[in-house]
Amino acid sequence: MTDDTTIAVLGAGVMGTGIATLLVGQGFPIVLVDVDEATLERAHGEIEMGLRHAQLMGAVPAERAPGRLQTTLSLSDVAGAGAVIEAVTESPEVKSKLFAETSALVGPGTPLISNTSGIPIDELAESVPRPGDLIGTHFMNPSYLISMVEVVRGPRTAEETVESVLSLLARLGRRAVVVRDAPGFVTSRLLHPMINEAARLVGEGTASAEEVDTLMQGCLGHPTGPLRTADLIGIDNLADSLRVLHARLGDERCRPSEVLLEKVRRGELGRKTGRGFYDYREDAK
């Protein structure tokens, strides 16, 4: 895989847009696919804004020209891509269907990369004819600033796929830690139940969201606090990931708290909607 290899990104939501920003900023041409035209139009603006942010933070090489960005509603446009990164909703059914369709469009040996936060890779591998091509890479948000990536090797993932993805991540300036397949892997298995408990504390009236985050920052060294992190992840995405963990582990700590579910019902999903545990709207400042 070379620097002019086209990378396909499936899904123009928060994570897909962040990953696309990283790729474009590092000079890779990409094809960004979504089912909604308005979402793709919004992604254009968010990618431009993200690139400016990355440049200000010194996260993009100043001498490197941005890669070409193509947006499309047609999945068939991924044909010919050197790698495919899936970043759609955290639903096993949706992801499996998409991988089944995508695997028919790309050649053998093309890495099929799922950015799932918790669905086991071997479970998704059931949907593709070449399970050796499937691997997990759990980017964090914002992907264009956070340099560490959790890479998940499924039991059927081919060594060539692992090597190809590690090479791509190195070209993107990312550090990778390869872990074995399991529900939630490492980061989500530790982080998401903690956020869930923090939300329960708020719901019980023990402390406000700001008090919980302040204590976690000041006493335990958490960089942003769990509830600000929830707003960054997207509370709907967090609830979906917790459902995946609860269904596969049976751990009651992973059952989405009523506080999270109520915020999803109200459309208070975090930064992407302007309000979650905190208010990000201009009129609230």
Side-chain angles (χ1 to χ4, degrees):
M1 201 179 301
T2 62
D3 291 350
D4 61 354
T5 299
T6 296
I7 310 296
V9 178
L10 310 182
V14 171
M15 287 309 305
T17 299
I19 293 167
T21 303
L22 167 64
L23 290 162
V24 170
Q26 295 292 338
F28 279 87
I30 76 160
V31 176
L32 180 60
V33 185
D34 201 276
V35 296
D36 182 70
E37 183 66 47
T39 299
L40 288 172
E41 290 178 6
R42 185 165 58 249
H44 258 292
E46 290 174 352
I47 290 169
E48 289 178 4
M49 185 168 60
L51 284 174
R52 289 195 295 271
H53 187 199
Q55 289 162 355
L56 286 172
M57 298 295 290
V60 173
E63 73 283 358
R64 188 166 298 169
R68 175 181 54 83
L69 170 63
Q70 175 191 352
T71 60
T72 179
L73 296 170
S74 175
L75 185 62
S76 63
D77 287 337
V78 308
V84 178
I85 302 175
E86 168 274 314
V88 300
T89 187
E90 192 70 359
S91 162
E93 295 77 19
V94 172
K95 290 181 185 291
S96 293
K97 181 175 183 295
L98 187 57
F99 274 125
E101 295 171 352
T102 303
S103 62
L105 297 169
V106 298
T110 302
L112 300 174
I113 303 166
S114 178
N115 191 58
T116 175
S117 60
I119 302 168
I121 297 304
D122 205 44
E123 184 177 322
L124 296 175
E126 292 294 330
S127 64
V128 298
R130 300 180 299 275
D133 293 344
L134 190 66
I135 190 170
T137 55
H138 189 194
F139 288 89
M140 305 297 152
N141 186 28
S143 307
Y144 53 86
L145 294 183
I146 298 178
S147 62
M148 182 68 74
V149 179
E150 181 179 30
V151 176
V152 186
R153 182 203 302 262
R156 290 182 278 178
T157 302
E159 185 60 35
E160 293 79 6
T161 302
V162 176
E163 292 174 0
S164 180
V165 168
L166 291 179
S167 174
L168 172 61
L169 291 172
R171 285 193 173 95
L172 293 172
R174 266 50 207 159
R175 294 178 296 152
V177 174
V178 181
V179 302
R180 292 176 63 183
D181 198 18
F185 322 123
V186 174
T187 51
S188 296
R189 181 83 167 263
L190 294 173
L191 176 64
H192 291 187
M194 181 183 73
I195 295 174
N196 205 29
E197 287 298 321
R200 285 195 178 103
L201 287 170
V202 172
E204 292 165 2
T206 303
S208 68
E210 187 169 2
E211 288 165 344
V212 169
D213 282 345
T214 299
L215 285 167
M216 290 297 289
Q217 289 175 287
C219 296
L220 299 179
H222 195 285
T224 60
L227 299 175
R228 285 191 182 88
T229 301
D231 281 353
L232 192 60
I233 292 171
I235 294 171
D236 54 338
N237 296 331
L238 177 63
D240 287 342
S241 178
L242 284 164
R243 289 189 186 97
V244 166
L245 291 174
H246 183 256
R248 287 155 182 78
L249 298 173
D251 186 342
E252 284 302 305
R253 296 177 306 156
C254 298
R255 186 189 295 275
S257 69
E258 184 55 34
V259 174
L260 295 179
L261 297 176
E262 179 58 27
K263 286 195 173 293
V264 172
R265 286 192 288 267
R266 293 203 300 255
E268 297 175 1
L269 308 181
R271 284 185 174 273
K272 63 185 176 183
T273 59
R275 186 169 184 175
F277 284 98
Y278 295 86
D279 201 332
Y280 305 94
R281 298 169 297 180
E282 287 297 324
D283 59 3
K285 296 178 181 178

